[in-house]
Amino acid sequence: MATSATSTSRRGSSLEMPDDDQTLRELGYPRQLARRVNAFGNFAISATIINFISGVMTALSLAMISGGPRIMVFGWLGVGLLVLFVGAAMAEITSGFPTSAALYYWSAKLAKRHNAGWSWFTGWLNFIGQIGGTAATDFALANFVVALATLQWPSYTPNAKEILGIYGAILLIHALLNTYTVGLVALLNKISVAWLLAGGVVITFYLIVFPSHHNSASFAFTHFVNGTGFKSGLYAGMIGLLFTSWTFTGFDASAHMSEETTHAAVSAPKGIVRSIAFSWIAGLVLILALTFSMSPGNYGNESSANEPAAQIFVDALGLTTAKILLLVVCGAIFFCGLANMTSNSRQIFAFSRDGAIPGSKWWRSVSKRTHTPVKSVWFAAVGAFVLGVPSLWNTVAFQAIVSVNVIGLFGSYGVPIFLRLRRGEDFVRGPWHLGRWSRPVTTIAVVWIALSSVLFLLPQSYPITHKTFNYAPVALAVVLFIATVWWFMTARRTYRGPISYGTPEELAAMEEDL
């Protein structure tokens, strides 16, 4: 039976630790996924997807020409704080509605009118953002693998087809892991946090201790660069904020993993906030190590390198050490891509469960062997590969994929946060909430999301040609066009928002069969 509830759920009224399965039944779903993730595991998957090593290293080329060290440091501090507001606002909603459906479910329950419509477009924004996150991470890994290969074999000159092939192979590995070794994936998500900590410490230690020269504090904190081709330094600096925003994406994974997490109404919101705070602090330390280690005399070559991090390592530490540190970076990005695909597949599963994706019956099926949505995993892999195809002819394809990721995800974050803001005191809180800080935190979150979403649709380099065109607006427009046409043709009559599969008692009986 479909439902488009016009008020918030009653289940948030208890401040005691709720029963996970009973909570899920009250939200309208039977338990289908195995609860094998604890509070640390929930934090780990979001921390792994945010992945400060991956985010800093893969977006370094954009930051070095769009603002330089000044934007890297102070943009990280400012945008990181704003993202923490976004995460806190999302965490409060997660506590009230701990389900894998997450964002589009929240929109349906928080909207006062047109619940199904709000839900529909939130889900599609999250869908394209999740696909973009998987694509951007694995495409970045492909480029770092190539950078490592060129250091090892200087005569090797990769072309766009070879990079795309490596990218496809990485997607294939991540899909296979999520299909056949689910227990290993859960373990790797936990190991990834240790890898992030140890890797961050190793990279920072080497950059602090071993270079023969370090930059002045003036250079490391305030040096400004505008290599975008645009005359406006302000515009270049604003584009450079994408460096931080790209890093702080994907923390909705904690919400998408709610149905596999124990004590989800508290563990999932804490996972969101803790993962952002951890990445914010650790990432700042890594950024400072980089800005103090850049070579002012060779800055142009470093910023224009295929992977600036590789060139900085070589200039500061020598070839052998650079290779070792690149291996650390590649490992971090690999973990990040794996967690991205896991989260991505859960969103596809949940959205399909409510009949909102073509072929929903196919994508919402759950493997009887692993109790995971295997077909959704392959949907995510193929969708991500399609986003990477324009790299064959577009030199800024990676930045465009990043923009799709940031705008799609933050857009899907913004809708339910805005609807929760409109609810005011009518919102029934779960056991984890912001108290009297809820309204100011939520307001700041909505304003930042609106501003940043506009910013990342803009061109990132000049002159604008077919090779430098930011195709992110096109990719987003295509997806939203499909979603809009489908909505007005059929979905507005058939989609009523998240489906309730029965009463809690009926769902408890259904679980026995499942």
Side-chain angles (χ1 to χ4, degrees):
M1 172 176 75
T3 179
S4 56
T6 57
S7 64
T8 52
S9 171
R10 62 183 178 84
R11 65 145 304 277
S13 58
S14 172
L15 296 183
E16 298 178 0
M17 186 69 71
D19 175 82
D20 290 318
D21 293 342
Q22 180 61 22
T23 295
L24 187 60
R25 294 180 199 121
E26 290 177 4
L27 296 177
Y29 298 119
R31 179 175 59 83
Q32 292 179 271
L33 305 177
R35 290 192 186 273
R36 54 167 67 99
V37 180
N38 59 17
F40 180 79
N42 187 280
F43 153 80
I45 192 168
S46 282
T48 301
I49 293 177
I50 294 174
N51 202 305
F52 68 92
I53 294 178
S54 172
V56 169
M57 296 300 179
T58 57
L60 200 55
S61 59
L62 177 66
M64 289 185 72
I65 65 172
S66 304
R70 185 191 304 178
I71 295 299
M72 289 174 63
V73 174
F74 292 104
W76 184 272
L77 286 170
V79 174
L81 178 61
L82 291 168
V83 173
L84 191 58
F85 280 92
V86 174
M90 282 177 56
E92 185 176 57
I93 304 173
T94 302
S95 184
F97 307 111
T99 168
S100 295
L103 301 145
Y104 77 89
Y105 184 99
W106 305 344
S107 292
K109 300 301 180 181
L110 292 170
K112 295 181 178 180
R113 299 174 55 206
H114 309 300
N115 307 72
W118 285 108
S119 173
W120 177 267
F121 287 101
T122 301
W124 276 92
L125 280 170
N126 192 237
F127 169 76
I128 186 59
Q130 289 266 358
I131 294 286
T134 300
T137 305
D138 282 7
F139 195 81
L141 179 54
N143 278 282
F144 266 86
V145 169
V146 166
L148 181 58
T150 54
L151 290 184
Q152 182 65 33
W153 300 287
S155 61
Y156 173 56
T157 305
N159 57 46
K161 289 182 179 179
E162 291 171 344
I163 295 174
L164 186 66
I166 295 170
Y167 169 57
I170 294 168
L171 284 169
L172 179 62
I173 292 169
H174 283 156
L176 289 172
L177 284 171
N178 272 288
T179 299
Y180 295 107
T181 58
V182 179
L184 177 60
V185 169
L187 177 62
L188 290 175
N189 284 332
K190 295 177 182 179
I191 292 174
S192 67
V193 176
W195 186 281
L196 282 175
L197 277 173
V201 168
V202 167
I203 294 172
T204 302
F205 175 79
Y206 269 84
L207 289 176
I208 290 175
V209 173
F210 291 104
S212 58
H213 170 76
H214 285 101
N215 297 316
S216 65
S218 175
F219 179 93
F221 285 98
T222 66
H223 184 64
F224 186 85
V225 177
N226 179 7
T228 62
F230 293 99
K231 293 182 179 179
S232 171
L234 176 62
Y235 185 90
M238 295 295 284
I239 293 298
L241 296 180
L242 181 57
F243 165 69
T244 305
S245 290
W246 144 240
T247 303
F248 287 101
T249 56
F251 46 86
D252 56 316
S254 288
H256 290 301
M257 296 299 290
S258 292
E259 294 181 33
E260 297 168 74
T261 300
T262 55
H263 306 308
V266 173
S267 297
K270 285 184 176 180
I272 291 172
V273 175
R274 288 172 176 172
S275 63
I276 295 171
F278 162 75
S279 303
W280 189 30
I281 296 168
L284 178 62
V285 174
L286 179 60
I287 287 169
L288 290 175
L290 285 167
T291 57
F292 273 98
S293 301
M294 291 174 179
S295 172
N298 199 34
Y299 188 92
N301 288 334
E302 289 178 348
S303 62
S304 62
N306 289 332
E307 290 301 339
Q311 192 60 52
I312 292 171
F313 291 159
V314 171
D315 291 345
L317 301 168
L319 187 60
T320 300
T321 304
K323 293 176 187 177
I324 295 172
L325 295 188
L326 279 181
L327 281 173
V328 173
V329 174
C330 286
I333 304 173
F334 180 86
F335 286 130
C336 181
L338 181 62
N340 258 293
M341 187 171 289
T342 303
S343 174
N344 195 171
S345 64
R346 271 46 173 188
Q347 191 274 342
I348 294 170
F349 158 76
F351 209 28
S352 299
R353 183 173 57 184
D354 290 314
I357 294 180
S360 289
K361 291 182 180 180
W362 183 265
W363 311 120
R364 73 189 181 203
S365 65
V366 175
S367 166
K368 293 182 179 179
R369 182 181 65 85
T370 63
H371 299 286
T372 56
V374 169
K375 293 184 177 67
S376 291
V377 169
W378 292 95
F379 188 124
V382 173
F385 184 80
V386 170
L387 269 185
V389 170
S391 65
L392 292 173
W393 62 83
N394 189 295
T395 58
V396 294
F398 174 72
Q399 286 90 338
I401 296 172
V402 167
S403 294
V404 169
N405 172 223
V406 173
I407 299 166
L409 286 184
F410 274 89
S412 68
Y413 301 166
V415 174
I417 294 174
F418 168 72
L419 294 173
R420 184 265 173 271
L421 182 63
R422 291 206 311 175
R423 277 282 176 184
E425 293 304 314
D426 188 33
F427 174 72
V428 182
R429 297 179 171 121
W432 192 100
H433 59 83
L434 297 169
R436 62 191 179 92
W437 295 102
S438 181
R439 187 171 185 82
V441 166
T442 304
T443 300
I444 292 171
V446 170
V447 171
W448 166 245
I449 290 170
L451 290 175
S452 62
S453 295
V454 172
L455 176 66
F456 300 134
L457 289 171
L458 300 176
Q460 297 169 6
S461 60
Y462 187 87
I464 302 170
T465 67
H466 73 283
K467 290 186 176 181
T468 61
F469 177 71
N470 178 7
Y471 74 86
V474 177
L476 284 166
V478 168
V479 172
L480 291 177
F481 176 77
I482 293 171
T484 301
V485 170
W486 186 13
W487 172 255
F488 283 104
M489 288 183 64
T490 61
R492 62 175 176 168
R493 293 185 294 274
T494 59
Y495 181 74
R496 295 291 181 266
I499 296 171
S500 175
Y501 283 82
T503 66
E505 294 73 22
E506 291 170 340
L507 294 173
M510 187 185 301
E511 288 170 9
E512 307 246 342
D513 297 330
L514 291 173

